[in-house]
Amino acid sequence: MRVRIKKINPSAAIPTYAKDGDAGMDLVATSMKFDGTQITYGTGLAMEIPKGFVGLIFPRSSIRKTDLSLSNSVGVIDSGYRGEIQATFNQRSLSSQS
């Protein structure tokens, strides 16, 4: 399947697979906004996902090494969305990590 990708930030990186056989591609952040409780990372990319399909954003397993959790557990990118791909994270209390 072809997914058209548009760089809306010149420093954006086109998603790639980290290793042969990986299930998903890695996104790279080009911006970060912190509002006191949440951090939103922008990728500088917009995508044209074909009708009938969906893009999904999952955090990598290494997220456990941080105090962040993806705010809605899984990011859903509908086929009609044409804006910047972003991911918003909540900060967990360090005392709640085990």
Side-chain angles (χ1 to χ4, degrees):
M1 167 186 358
R2 290 183 177 248
V3 176
R4 293 178 60 180
I5 300 172
K6 179 181 180 180
K7 285 187 176 185
I8 54 178
N9 180 323
S11 65
I14 300 299
T16 59
Y17 293 101
K19 292 181 243 147
D20 186 41
D22 282 356
M25 299 173 127
D26 291 338
L27 292 170
V28 177
T30 59
S31 66
M32 181 183 83
K33 296 177 197 163
F34 180 62
D35 71 4
T37 60
Q38 292 184 314
I39 300 171
T40 299
Y41 293 99
T43 65
L45 299 171
M47 298 182 186
E48 189 175 301
I49 297 170
K51 187 175 181 178
F53 291 88
V54 64
L56 299 173
I57 298 177
F58 288 91
R60 295 191 62 88
S61 59
S62 60
I63 193 83
R64 66 181 175 73
K65 298 176 185 175
T66 74
D67 67 340
L68 300 175
S69 63
L70 195 57
S71 66
N72 54 348
S73 300
V74 176
V76 173
I77 307 163
D78 290 315
S79 62
Y81 179 69
R82 296 293 182 264
E84 181 181 13
I85 305 301
Q86 299 180 40
T88 299
F89 292 81
N90 296 322
Q91 282 194 297
R92 297 178 300 201
S93 166
L94 291 175
S95 63
S96 68
Q97 292 183 6
S98 48

Coordinates of all heavy atoms in Angstrom, one line a residue:
M1 N 0.8 -1.2 0.0 CA 0.0 0.0 0.0 C 0.9 1.2 0.0 O 1.9 1.3 0.7 CB -0.9 0.0 1.2 CG -1.6 1.3 1.5 SD -2.5 1.5 3.0 CE -2.5 0.0 3.8
R2 N 0.5 2.2 -0.7 CA 1.2 3.5 -0.8 C 0.5 4.5 0.1 O -0.7 4.7 0.1 CB 1.3 4.0 -2.2 CG 2.2 3.2 -3.1 CD 2.3 3.9 -4.4 NE 3.2 3.1 -5.2 CZ 4.4 3.5 -5.6 NH1 4.8 4.8 -5.3 NH2 5.2 2.8 -6.3
V3 N 1.3 5.2 0.9 CA 0.8 6.3 1.8 C 1.6 7.5 1.4 O 2.9 7.5 1.5 CB 1.0 5.9 3.3 CG1 0.6 7.1 4.1 CG2 0.2 4.7 3.6
R4 N 0.9 8.5 0.9 CA 1.6 9.7 0.6 C 2.0 10.5 1.8 O 1.1 10.6 2.7 CB 0.8 10.6 -0.3 CG 0.6 9.9 -1.7 CD -0.3 10.7 -2.6 NE 0.3 12.0 -2.8 CZ -0.3 13.0 -3.6 NH1 -1.4 12.7 -4.2 NH2 0.3 14.1 -3.7
I5 N 3.2 11.0 1.9 CA 3.7 11.7 3.1 C 4.2 13.0 2.6 O 4.9 13.2 1.6 CB 4.8 10.9 3.8 CG1 4.4 9.5 4.2 CG2 5.4 11.7 4.9 CD1 5.4 8.6 4.7
K6 N 3.8 14.1 3.4 CA 4.2 15.4 3.1 C 5.0 16.0 4.3 O 4.5 15.9 5.4 CB 3.0 16.3 2.8 CG 3.4 17.7 2.5 CD 2.1 18.5 2.3 CE 2.4 20.0 2.0 NZ 1.2 20.8 1.7
K7 N 6.2 16.5 4.0 CA 7.0 17.2 5.1 C 6.4 18.6 5.2 O 6.4 19.4 4.3 CB 8.4 17.3 4.7 CG 9.2 16.0 4.9 CD 10.7 16.2 4.7 CE 11.5 15.0 4.9 NZ 13.0 15.3 4.8
I8 N 5.9 18.9 6.4 CA 5.4 20.3 6.7 C 6.5 21.0 7.5 O 6.3 22.2 7.8 CB 4.0 20.3 7.3 CG1 4.0 19.5 8.6 CG2 3.0 19.8 6.3 CD1 2.6 19.5 9.2
N9 N 7.5 20.3 7.9 CA 8.7 20.9 8.6 C 9.9 20.4 7.8 O 10.0 19.1 7.7 CB 8.7 20.5 10.0 CG 9.9 21.0 10.8 OD1 11.0 21.1 10.3 ND2 9.6 21.4 12.0
P10 N 10.8 21.2 7.3 CA 11.9 20.7 6.5 C 12.8 19.7 7.3 O 13.5 18.9 6.7 CB 12.7 22.0 6.2 CG 11.9 23.2 6.7 CD 10.7 22.7 7.5
S11 N 12.8 19.8 8.6 CA 13.7 18.9 9.4 C 13.0 17.5 9.7 O 13.6 16.7 10.3 CB 14.1 19.5 10.7 OG 13.0 19.8 11.5
A12 N 11.8 17.3 9.2 CA 11.0 16.1 9.4 C 11.7 14.9 8.8 O 12.3 15.0 7.7 CB 9.6 16.2 8.9
A13 N 11.6 13.8 9.5 CA 12.2 12.5 9.0 C 11.0 11.6 8.5 O 10.1 11.4 9.2 CB 13.0 11.8 10.0
I14 N 11.2 11.1 7.3 CA 10.2 10.1 6.8 C 10.3 8.9 7.6 O 11.4 8.4 7.9 CB 10.5 9.8 5.3 CG1 10.5 11.1 4.4 CG2 9.6 8.7 4.7 CD1 9.1 11.8 4.4
P15 N 9.2 8.3 8.1 CA 9.2 7.1 8.9 C 9.9 5.9 8.3 O 9.8 5.7 7.0 CB 7.7 6.8 9.1 CG 7.0 8.0 8.9 CD 7.8 8.8 7.8
T16 N 10.7 5.2 9.1 CA 11.4 4.1 8.6 C 11.3 2.9 9.6 O 11.0 3.1 10.8 CB 12.9 4.4 8.4 OG1 13.5 4.8 9.7 CG2 13.2 5.4 7.4
Y17 N 11.6 1.7 9.1 CA 11.7 0.6 10.0 C 13.1 0.6 10.7 O 14.1 0.7 10.0 CB 11.5 -0.7 9.3 CG 10.1 -0.9 8.7 CD1 9.8 -0.6 7.4 CD2 9.1 -1.3 9.5 CE1 8.5 -0.8 6.9 CE2 7.8 -1.5 9.0 CZ 7.5 -1.2 7.7 OH 6.2 -1.4 7.2
A18 N 13.1 0.4 12.0 CA 14.4 0.3 12.7 C 15.2 -0.9 12.3 O 16.4 -0.9 12.2 CB 14.2 0.4 14.2
K19 N 14.5 -2.0 12.3 CA 15.1 -3.3 12.0 C 14.3 -4.1 11.0 O 13.1 -4.0 11.0 CB 15.3 -4.1 13.3 CG 16.3 -3.6 14.2 CD 16.4 -4.5 15.5 CE 15.9 -3.7 16.6 NZ 15.2 -4.2 17.7
D20 N 14.9 -5.0 10.2 CA 14.2 -5.8 9.3 C 13.2 -6.7 10.1 O 13.6 -7.3 11.1 CB 15.2 -6.7 8.6 CG 14.6 -7.6 7.5 OD1 13.7 -7.0 6.8 OD2 15.0 -8.8 7.4
G21 N 12.0 -6.8 9.6 CA 11.0 -7.6 10.3 C 10.2 -6.8 11.3 O 9.2 -7.4 11.9
D22 N 10.5 -5.5 11.6 CA 9.7 -4.8 12.5 C 8.3 -4.6 12.0 O 8.0 -4.5 10.8 CB 10.3 -3.4 12.8 CG 11.5 -3.4 13.7 OD1 11.8 -4.4 14.2 OD2 12.1 -2.3 13.9
A23 N 7.3 -4.6 12.9 CA 5.9 -4.5 12.6 C 5.5 -3.0 12.2 O 4.6 -2.8 11.4 CB 5.0 -4.9 13.7
G24 N 6.2 -2.1 12.8 CA 5.8 -0.7 12.6 C 7.1 0.2 12.4 O 8.2 -0.2 12.6
M25 N 6.8 1.3 11.8 CA 7.8 2.3 11.5 C 8.0 3.3 12.6 O 7.0 3.5 13.4 CB 7.5 3.1 10.2 CG 7.3 2.2 9.0 SD 6.7 3.1 7.6 CE 8.0 2.7 6.4
D26 N 9.2 3.9 12.7 CA 9.4 4.8 13.8 C 9.2 6.3 13.3 O 9.5 6.6 12.2 CB 10.9 4.7 14.2 CG 11.2 3.4 14.9 OD1 10.3 2.8 15.5 OD2 12.4 3.1 15.0
L27 N 8.5 7.0 14.2 CA 8.3 8.4 13.9 C 9.4 9.2 14.7 O 9.8 8.8 15.8 CB 6.9 8.9 14.4 CG 5.8 8.3 13.6 CD1 4.4 8.6 14.3 CD2 5.7 9.0 12.2
V28 N 9.8 10.4 14.2 CA 10.8 11.2 14.9 C 10.1 12.6 15.2 O 9.5 13.2 14.3 CB 12.0 11.4 14.0 CG1 13.0 12.3 14.6 CG2 12.6 10.1 13.7
A29 N 10.3 13.1 16.4 CA 9.7 14.3 16.8 C 10.5 15.5 16.2 O 11.8 15.5 16.2 CB 9.6 14.5 18.3
T30 N 9.8 16.5 15.7 CA 10.5 17.8 15.3 C 10.2 18.9 16.2 O 10.8 20.0 16.1 CB 10.1 18.1 13.9 OG1 8.7 18.3 13.8 CG2 10.5 17.1 12.9
S31 N 9.1 18.8 17.1 CA 8.8 19.8 18.0 C 8.2 19.2 19.2 O 7.8 18.1 19.3 CB 7.7 20.8 17.3 OG 6.5 20.1 17.1
M32 N 8.2 20.1 20.3 CA 7.6 19.6 21.6 C 7.0 20.8 22.3 O 7.5 21.9 22.3 CB 8.8 19.1 22.5 CG 8.2 18.6 23.8 SD 9.6 18.1 24.9 CE 10.1 19.7 25.6
K33 N 5.7 20.6 22.7 CA 5.0 21.6 23.5 C 4.6 21.0 24.8 O 4.1 19.9 24.9 CB 3.7 22.0 22.8 CG 4.0 22.7 21.5 CD 2.6 23.0 20.8 CE 2.8 23.3 19.3 NZ 1.6 23.2 18.6
F34 N 4.9 21.7 25.9 CA 4.6 21.3 27.3 C 3.6 22.3 27.9 O 3.9 23.5 27.9 CB 5.8 21.2 28.1 CG 5.6 20.7 29.5 CD1 5.0 19.5 29.8 CD2 5.8 21.5 30.6 CE1 4.8 19.0 31.1 CE2 5.6 21.1 31.9 CZ 5.1 19.9 32.1
D35 N 2.4 21.8 28.3 CA 1.4 22.7 28.9 C 1.3 22.6 30.4 O 0.4 23.1 31.0 CB 0.1 22.5 28.2 CG -0.6 21.2 28.6 OD1 0.0 20.4 29.5 OD2 -1.7 20.8 28.1
G36 N 2.3 22.0 31.0 CA 2.3 21.8 32.5 C 1.9 20.4 32.9 O 2.2 20.0 34.0
T37 N 1.0 19.8 32.1 CA 0.6 18.4 32.5 C 0.8 17.4 31.3 O 1.0 16.2 31.6 CB -0.9 18.4 32.8 OG1 -1.7 18.8 31.7 CG2 -1.2 19.2 34.1
Q38 N 0.8 17.9 30.1 CA 1.0 17.0 29.0 C 2.1 17.6 28.0 O 2.3 18.8 27.9 CB -0.3 16.9 28.2 CG -1.4 16.2 28.9 CD -2.6 16.0 28.0 OE1 -3.0 17.0 27.4 NE2 -3.2 14.8 28.0
I39 N 2.7 16.6 27.3 CA 3.7 17.0 26.3 C 3.2 16.5 25.0 O 2.8 15.3 24.8 CB 5.1 16.3 26.6 CG1 5.6 16.7 28.0 CG2 6.1 16.6 25.5 CD1 6.8 15.9 28.4
T40 N 3.2 17.4 24.0 CA 2.8 17.0 22.7 C 4.0 17.1 21.7 O 4.6 18.2 21.7 CB 1.6 17.9 22.2 OG1 0.5 17.8 23.0 CG2 1.2 17.6 20.7
Y41 N 4.3 16.0 21.1 CA 5.4 16.0 20.1 C 4.8 16.1 18.7 O 3.9 15.3 18.4 CB 6.2 14.7 20.2 CG 6.9 14.6 21.5 CD1 6.4 13.8 22.6 CD2 8.2 15.2 21.7 CE1 7.1 13.7 23.8 CE2 8.9 15.1 22.9 CZ 8.4 14.4 23.9 OH 9.0 14.3 25.1
G42 N 5.3 16.9 17.9 CA 4.9 17.0 16.5 C 6.0 16.3 15.6 O 7.2 16.3 16.0
T43 N 5.5 15.7 14.6 CA 6.5 15.0 13.7 C 6.9 15.8 12.5 O 7.8 15.4 11.8 CB 5.8 13.7 13.2 OG1 4.7 14.0 12.3 CG2 5.4 12.8 14.3
G44 N 6.2 16.9 12.2 CA 6.5 17.7 11.0 C 6.0 17.0 9.7 O 6.4 17.4 8.7
L45 N 5.1 16.0 9.9 CA 4.6 15.2 8.7 C 3.1 15.2 8.7 O 2.4 15.2 9.7 CB 5.1 13.8 8.9 CG 6.5 13.4 8.9 CD1 6.8 12.0 9.2 CD2 7.2 13.8 7.6
A46 N 2.6 15.2 7.5 CA 1.2 15.0 7.2 C 1.1 13.8 6.3 O 2.0 13.6 5.5 CB 0.5 16.2 6.6
M47 N 0.1 12.9 6.4 CA 0.0 11.7 5.6 C -1.4 11.6 5.0 O -2.4 12.1 5.5 CB 0.2 10.5 6.5 CG 1.6 10.4 7.1 SD 1.7 8.9 8.1 CE 3.3 9.2 8.8
E48 N -1.4 11.0 3.8 CA -2.6 10.7 3.1 C -2.9 9.2 3.2 O -2.5 8.4 2.3 CB -2.5 11.2 1.6 CG -3.8 11.1 0.9 CD -3.7 11.7 -0.5 OE1 -3.3 12.9 -0.6 OE2 -3.9 11.0 -1.5
I49 N -3.5 8.8 4.2 CA -3.8 7.4 4.4 C -5.0 7.0 3.5 O -6.0 7.7 3.5 CB -4.1 7.1 5.9 CG1 -2.9 7.4 6.7 CG2 -4.6 5.7 6.1 CD1 -3.1 7.4 8.2
P50 N -4.9 6.0 2.8 CA -6.0 5.6 1.8 C -7.4 5.4 2.6 O -7.4 4.8 3.7 CB -5.5 4.3 1.2 CG -4.0 4.4 1.3 CD -3.8 5.0 2.6
K51 N -8.5 5.7 1.9 CA -9.8 5.5 2.4 C -10.0 4.0 2.8 O -9.6 3.1 2.0 CB -10.8 5.9 1.4 CG -12.2 5.9 1.9 CD -13.2 6.4 0.9 CE -14.6 6.4 1.5 NZ -15.6 7.0 0.5
G52 N -10.6 3.7 4.0 CA -10.8 2.4 4.4 C -9.6 1.9 5.3 O -9.7 0.7 5.8
F53 N -8.6 2.7 5.5 CA -7.5 2.3 6.3 C -7.3 3.3 7.4 O -7.9 4.3 7.4 CB -6.2 2.2 5.5 CG -6.2 1.0 4.5 CD1 -6.7 1.2 3.2 CD2 -5.7 -0.2 4.8 CE1 -6.8 0.2 2.3 CE2 -5.7 -1.3 3.9 CZ -6.3 -1.1 2.7
V54 N -6.4 2.9 8.4 CA -6.2 3.8 9.5 C -4.7 3.7 9.9 O -4.1 2.7 9.7 CB -7.1 3.3 10.7 CG1 -6.7 1.9 11.2 CG2 -7.0 4.3 11.9
G55 N -4.2 4.8 10.4 CA -2.8 4.8 10.9 C -2.9 4.7 12.4 O -3.8 5.2 13.1
L56 N -2.0 3.9 13.0 CA -2.0 3.7 14.5 C -0.7 4.1 15.0 O 0.4 3.8 14.5 CB -2.3 2.3 14.8 CG -3.6 1.7 14.3 CD1 -3.7 0.2 14.6 CD2 -4.8 2.4 15.0
I57 N -0.7 4.8 16.2 CA 0.5 5.2 16.9 C 0.6 4.5 18.2 O -0.3 4.7 19.0 CB 0.6 6.7 17.1 CG1 0.6 7.4 15.7 CG2 1.8 7.1 17.9 CD1 0.6 9.0 15.8
F58 N 1.6 3.7 18.4 CA 1.8 2.9 19.6 C 3.1 3.4 20.2 O 4.1 3.6 19.4 CB 1.9 1.4 19.4 CG 0.6 0.8 19.1 CD1 0.2 0.6 17.8 CD2 -0.2 0.3 20.1 CE1 -1.0 0.0 17.4 CE2 -1.4 -0.4 19.8 CZ -1.8 -0.5 18.4
P59 N 3.3 3.5 21.5 CA 4.6 3.8 22.1 C 5.5 2.6 22.0 O 5.0 1.5 22.1 CB 4.3 4.2 23.5 CG 3.0 3.6 23.8 CD 2.2 3.5 22.5
R60 N 6.7 2.8 21.8 CA 7.7 1.7 21.8 C 7.8 1.2 23.3 O 7.5 1.8 24.2 CB 9.0 2.1 21.3 CG 8.9 2.5 19.8 CD 10.3 2.7 19.2 NE 11.1 1.5 19.2 CZ 11.1 0.6 18.2 NH1 10.2 0.7 17.2 NH2 11.9 -0.5 18.3
S61 N 8.3 -0.1 23.4 CA 8.5 -0.7 24.7 C 9.4 0.1 25.6 O 9.3 0.1 26.8 CB 8.9 -2.1 24.6 OG 10.2 -2.2 24.0
S62 N 10.3 0.9 25.0 CA 11.3 1.7 25.8 C 10.6 2.8 26.6 O 11.2 3.4 27.4 CB 12.4 2.2 24.9 OG 11.9 3.0 23.9
I63 N 9.3 3.1 26.3 CA 8.6 4.1 27.0 C 8.6 3.8 28.5 O 8.5 4.7 29.3 CB 7.2 4.3 26.5 CG1 6.5 5.6 27.0 CG2 6.3 3.1 26.8 CD1 6.9 6.8 26.2
R64 N 8.7 2.6 28.9 CA 8.7 2.2 30.3 C 9.9 2.8 31.1 O 9.8 2.9 32.3 CB 8.7 0.7 30.5 CG 10.0 0.0 30.0 CD 9.9 -1.5 30.2 NE 11.1 -2.1 29.6 CZ 12.3 -2.1 30.1 NH1 12.5 -1.4 31.3 NH2 13.4 -2.7 29.6
K65 N 10.9 3.2 30.4 CA 12.1 3.8 31.0 C 11.9 5.3 31.3 O 12.7 6.0 31.8 CB 13.3 3.7 30.1 CG 13.7 2.2 29.8 CD 14.9 2.2 28.9 CE 15.2 0.7 28.5 NZ 16.3 0.7 27.5
T66 N 10.7 5.8 30.9 CA 10.4 7.3 31.1 C 9.2 7.4 32.0 O 8.6 6.4 32.5 CB 10.1 7.9 29.7 OG1 8.7 7.5 29.4 CG2 11.1 7.6 28.7
D67 N 8.9 8.7 32.3 CA 7.7 8.9 33.2 C 6.6 9.4 32.3 O 5.7 10.1 32.7 CB 8.0 9.9 34.3 CG 8.3 11.3 33.8 OD1 8.7 11.5 32.6 OD2 8.2 12.3 34.5
L68 N 6.5 8.9 31.0 CA 5.5 9.3 30.1 C 4.6 8.2 29.7 O 5.1 7.0 29.7 CB 6.1 9.9 28.8 CG 7.0 11.1 29.0 CD1 7.6 11.5 27.6 CD2 6.2 12.3 29.5
S69 N 3.4 8.5 29.4 CA 2.5 7.5 28.8 C 1.6 8.2 27.7 O 1.2 9.3 27.9 CB 1.6 6.8 29.9 OG 0.7 7.8 30.5
L70 N 1.4 7.5 26.6 CA 0.6 8.1 25.5 C -0.8 8.4 26.1 O -1.4 7.5 26.7 CB 0.6 7.1 24.4 CG 0.1 7.6 23.0 CD1 0.9 8.8 22.5 CD2 0.1 6.5 22.0
S71 N -1.2 9.6 25.9 CA -2.5 10.0 26.6 C -3.7 9.2 26.2 O -4.6 9.1 27.1 CB -2.7 11.5 26.2 OG -3.0 11.7 24.9
N72 N -3.8 8.7 25.0 CA -5.0 7.9 24.7 C -4.7 6.4 24.4 O -5.4 5.8 23.7 CB -5.8 8.5 23.5 CG -4.9 8.7 22.3 OD1 -3.7 8.6 22.4 ND2 -5.5 9.1 21.2
S73 N -3.5 6.0 24.9 CA -3.0 4.6 24.8 C -2.6 4.3 23.3 O -1.5 3.8 23.1 CB -4.0 3.6 25.3 OG -4.3 3.8 26.7
V74 N -3.5 4.5 22.4 CA -3.2 4.3 21.0 C -3.7 5.5 20.2 O -4.8 5.9 20.3 CB -3.9 3.0 20.4 CG1 -3.6 2.9 18.9 CG2 -3.4 1.8 21.2
G75 N -2.8 6.1 19.4 CA -3.2 7.2 18.5 C -3.8 6.6 17.2 O -3.3 5.7 16.6
V76 N -5.0 7.2 16.9 CA -5.7 6.8 15.7 C -5.7 7.9 14.7 O -6.0 9.0 15.0 CB -7.2 6.4 16.0 CG1 -8.0 6.1 14.7 CG2 -7.2 5.2 16.9
I77 N -5.2 7.6 13.5 CA -5.1 8.6 12.4 C -6.1 8.1 11.3 O -5.9 7.2 10.6 CB -3.7 8.7 11.8 CG1 -2.7 9.0 12.9 CG2 -3.7 9.8 10.7 CD1 -1.3 8.7 12.5
D78 N -7.2 8.8 11.3 CA -8.3 8.5 10.3 C -7.8 8.8 8.9 O -7.0 9.7 8.7 CB -9.6 9.2 10.6 CG -10.2 8.7 11.9 OD1 -10.3 7.5 12.0 OD2 -10.7 9.5 12.7
S79 N -8.4 8.1 7.9 CA -8.0 8.3 6.5 C -8.3 9.7 6.0 O -7.6 10.2 5.1 CB -8.6 7.3 5.6 OG -10.0 7.4 5.6
G80 N -9.2 10.4 6.6 CA -9.6 11.8 6.1 C -8.7 12.9 6.8 O -8.8 14.0 6.4
Y81 N -7.9 12.5 7.8 CA -7.1 13.5 8.5 C -5.9 13.9 7.7 O -5.2 13.1 7.2 CB -6.6 13.0 9.9 CG -5.8 14.0 10.6 CD1 -6.4 15.1 11.2 CD2 -4.5 13.7 10.8 CE1 -5.6 16.0 11.9 CE2 -3.7 14.6 11.6 CZ -4.2 15.8 12.1 OH -3.5 16.7 12.8
R82 N -5.7 15.2 7.5 CA -4.6 15.7 6.7 C -3.6 16.7 7.4 O -2.7 17.2 6.9 CB -5.1 16.4 5.4 CG -5.8 15.5 4.5 CD -4.9 14.5 3.8 NE -5.6 13.6 2.9 CZ -6.1 12.4 3.2 NH1 -6.0 12.0 4.4 NH2 -6.7 11.7 2.3
G83 N -3.8 16.8 8.7 CA -3.0 17.7 9.5 C -1.7 17.0 10.0 O -1.4 15.8 9.6
E84 N -0.9 17.7 10.8 CA 0.3 17.2 11.3 C 0.1 16.0 12.2 O -0.8 16.0 13.0 CB 1.1 18.2 12.1 CG 2.4 17.7 12.6 CD 3.2 18.7 13.4 OE1 2.7 19.8 13.8 OE2 4.4 18.5 13.6
I85 N 0.9 15.0 12.0 CA 0.9 13.8 12.9 C 1.5 14.2 14.2 O 2.7 14.6 14.2 CB 1.6 12.6 12.3 CG1 1.0 12.2 10.9 CG2 1.5 11.4 13.3 CD1 -0.5 11.9 10.9
Q86 N 0.8 14.1 15.3 CA 1.2 14.5 16.7 C 0.9 13.4 17.7 O 0.0 12.6 17.4 CB 0.6 15.8 17.1 CG 0.9 16.9 16.2 CD 0.2 18.2 16.7 OE1 0.2 18.5 17.9 NE2 -0.4 19.0 15.8
A87 N 1.7 13.3 18.7 CA 1.4 12.4 19.8 C 1.5 13.1 21.1 O 2.5 13.9 21.4 CB 2.4 11.2 19.8
T88 N 0.5 13.0 22.0 CA 0.4 13.7 23.3 C 0.6 12.7 24.4 O 0.0 11.6 24.4 CB -0.9 14.4 23.5 OG1 -1.0 15.4 22.4 CG2 -1.0 15.1 24.8
F89 N 1.5 13.0 25.3 CA 1.9 12.1 26.4 C 1.5 12.8 27.7 O 1.7 14.0 27.9 CB 3.4 11.8 26.4 CG 3.8 11.0 25.2 CD1 4.0 11.5 24.0 CD2 4.0 9.6 25.4 CE1 4.4 10.7 22.9 CE2 4.3 8.8 24.3 CZ 4.6 9.4 23.1
N90 N 1.1 12.0 28.7 CA 0.9 12.4 30.1 C 2.1 12.1 30.9 O 2.8 11.1 30.6 CB -0.3 11.7 30.7 CG -1.6 12.0 30.0 OD1 -1.9 13.1 29.6 ND2 -2.5 11.0 29.9
Q91 N 2.4 12.9 31.8 CA 3.5 12.6 32.8 C 3.0 11.8 33.9 O 2.0 12.2 34.5 CB 4.2 13.9 33.3 CG 5.1 14.5 32.3 CD 6.0 15.5 32.9 OE1 5.5 16.5 33.4 NE2 7.3 15.3 33.0
R92 N 3.6 10.6 34.2 CA 3.2 9.8 35.3 C 4.0 10.3 36.5 O 5.1 10.7 36.4 CB 3.4 8.3 35.0 CG 2.6 7.8 33.9 CD 3.0 6.4 33.7 NE 4.4 6.3 33.3 CZ 5.0 5.3 32.7 NH1 4.3 4.2 32.4 NH2 6.3 5.3 32.5
S93 N 3.4 10.0 37.7 CA 4.2 10.3 38.9 C 5.3 9.2 39.0 O 5.1 8.0 38.8 CB 3.3 10.2 40.1 OG 4.0 10.1 41.3
L94 N 6.5 9.7 39.3 CA 7.6 8.7 39.4 C 7.4 7.7 40.5 O 7.8 6.6 40.4 CB 8.9 9.5 39.6 CG 9.4 10.3 38.5 CD1 10.7 11.1 38.9 CD2 9.8 9.4 37.3
S95 N 6.6 8.1 41.5 CA 6.3 7.2 42.6 C 5.4 6.0 42.2 O 5.3 5.0 42.8 CB 5.8 7.9 43.8 OG 4.5 8.5 43.4
S96 N 4.7 6.2 41.1 CA 3.7 5.2 40.6 C 4.4 4.2 39.7 O 3.8 3.2 39.4 CB 2.5 5.8 39.9 OG 3.0 6.4 38.7
Q97 N 5.6 4.4 39.3 CA 6.3 3.4 38.5 C 6.9 2.3 39.3 O 7.3 2.5 40.4 CB 7.5 4.1 37.7 CG 7.0 5.1 36.7 CD 8.2 5.7 35.9 OE1 9.3 5.3 36.1 NE2 7.9 6.7 35.1
S98 N 6.8 1.1 38.7 CA 7.4 0.0 39.5 C 8.4 -0.7 38.6 O 8.6 -0.6 37.5 CB 6.3 -1.0 39.9 OG 5.5 -1.3 38.8

